Amino acid sequence: VCQIGRYFFFFQAEDGIRDFCLSRGLGDVYKRQVHGDYIYPAFDQLVNEAAKYRYRSGNQFSVGGLTVRAPYGAVGHGGHYHSQSPEAFFSHAPGLKVVIPRDCIQAKGLLLASIRDKNPVIFLEPKALYRNAEDEVPTEDYELALHKAEVVQEGKDITLIGYGTQIRVLKEAAKEAEQDGIKCEIIDLQTIYPYDIETLVESVKKTGRCIVSHEAPVTMGVGAEISAALQEKCFLYLEAPITRVCGYDTPFPLAHELVYLPDKWKVYDAIQKLSLIHI
């Protein structure tokens, strides 16, 4: 274990690491030395202990800034073990917050907000951005609201919802659609749980069409929850069925990664199909 202030670097021992942080009073940041794909041995400590501390104690105790940083998602050569997206598992545990940044500026602001939050935060960092994300990140201290989605691009025809690396994919697909005269509104969730339903509803009521996209498998994924919520709240405003463009229900395939991933052409195809539907 290497400690720098309240920041701890660990080697592989996921369940032991969480036990260590919990026993310390939890005012610490835990940085995984490996991938979020191997976070599962610590699932019990995070879901059954950290997530329930404040509730069990009647808000007398908390996990005081426990933030778990973990790389996740496809990286281009990770195969079935090093390309997983575990966000849906943790999004089903009340008491946890799940945050995924799309780029450098968002990563700093959301991470600082996560560290200072009273609740435990699972901070998932897209592996694919580690070596190809570059921006002018402000040097001063700043935070981005954990419960607020960001409208990355305004549009009037279709709402595209995503997070993490997928925002880049949605931007590329929207650029292709713009050549067809279709203007897409792109929304970055930023916080996966609890997510900002108000911003999503406002957008979908305006556009009448919606696509939710993420790398994780489509069944029981984040997209399913968002689709159901928007169906309930925006039913009379919808011009077409809400569509999900996501990963397939299969272990992540190394040889067929490009087939598995919901790339810009899959999103663009969904945009074209939705634009032709009128309920």
Side-chain angles (χ1 to χ4, degrees):
V1 178
C2 174
Q3 178 178 359
I4 303 176
R6 290 170 56 216
Y7 200 105
F8 293 84
F9 291 85
F10 295 88
F11 295 102
Q12 278 185 272
E14 287 76 10
D15 48 354
I17 290 165
R18 279 11 175 264
D19 288 340
F20 171 81
C21 290
L22 286 165
S23 67
R24 281 183 56 87
L26 307 161
D28 307 306
V29 181
Y30 158 61
K31 170 68 174 72
R32 284 188 50 77
Q33 201 69 4
V34 288
H35 300 284
D37 310 85
Y38 299 107
I39 201 170
Y40 305 112
F43 195 81
D44 176 57
Q45 289 296 312
L46 289 170
V47 172
N48 276 334
E49 302 299 337
K52 297 175 173 60
Y53 255 60
R54 294 185 69 189
Y55 183 81
R56 287 176 58 195
S57 68
N59 204 31
Q60 295 183 64
F61 307 103
S62 72
V63 291
L66 174 64
T67 302
V68 180
R69 292 181 58 197
Y72 93 106
V75 70
H77 53 266
H80 52 286
Y81 281 124
H82 294 89
S83 305
Q84 299 182 73
S85 300
E87 62 269 24
F89 292 115
F90 294 107
S91 297
H92 203 64
L96 292 179
K97 294 186 179 182
V98 182
V99 179
I100 302 180
R102 73 173 183 273
D103 235 321
C104 312
I105 295 175
Q106 290 72 31
K108 178 179 177 179
L110 291 171
L111 180 58
L112 287 174
S114 298
I115 293 170
R116 292 162 183 164
D117 195 274
K118 292 182 179 180
N119 302 285
V121 179
I122 309 297
F123 194 89
L124 298 174
E125 303 170 358
K127 298 191 200 84
L129 299 184
Y130 278 155
R131 293 181 177 85
N132 67 9
E134 184 177 338
D135 214 330
E136 295 292 332
V137 181
T139 57
E140 66 269 15
D141 189 311
Y142 67 93
E143 297 180 27
L144 296 178
L146 290 186
H147 304 140
K148 187 66 178 174
E150 180 182 352
V151 179
V152 178
Q153 174 179 308
E154 293 190 355
K156 62 180 180 62
D157 298 316
I158 296 179
T159 299
L160 307 181
I161 301 171
Y163 50 87
T165 312
Q166 201 62 15
I167 295 299
R168 293 188 176 190
V169 175
L170 297 182
K171 285 183 177 180
E172 293 173 356
K175 189 174 182 180
E176 295 291 337
E178 192 170 5
Q179 298 179 22
D180 300 330
I182 303 171
K183 296 189 180 298
C184 300
E185 182 148 294
I186 302 174
I187 299 179
D188 177 9
L189 283 180
Q190 301 192 123
T191 299
I192 311 306
Y193 181 76
Y195 65 96
D196 177 11
I197 186 63
E198 289 79 13
T199 297
L200 306 185
V201 167
E202 181 180 354
S203 177
V204 173
K205 283 185 175 181
K206 177 177 69 173
T207 64
R209 295 176 171 82
C210 178
I211 294 173
V212 188
S213 186
H214 53 66
E215 286 182 16
V218 62
T219 302
M220 303 296 177
V222 173
E225 158 60 27
I226 293 173
S227 298
L230 291 176
Q231 177 79 1
E232 292 174 359
K233 298 177 182 297
C234 304
F235 182 74
L236 296 179
Y237 295 84
L238 292 176
E239 296 291 340
I242 297 171
T243 298
R244 291 172 292 166
V245 181
C246 307
Y248 297 120
D249 294 327
T250 177
F252 199 98
L254 176 60
H256 300 290
E257 179 166 317
L258 296 180
V259 176
Y260 175 92
L261 288 173
D263 62 11
K264 73 172 183 178
W265 299 115
K266 292 180 182 178
V267 177
Y268 175 56
D269 182 60
I271 291 172
Q272 286 185 313
K273 290 178 180 177
L274 281 190
S275 65
L276 297 175
I277 298 176
H278 297 275
I279 297 178

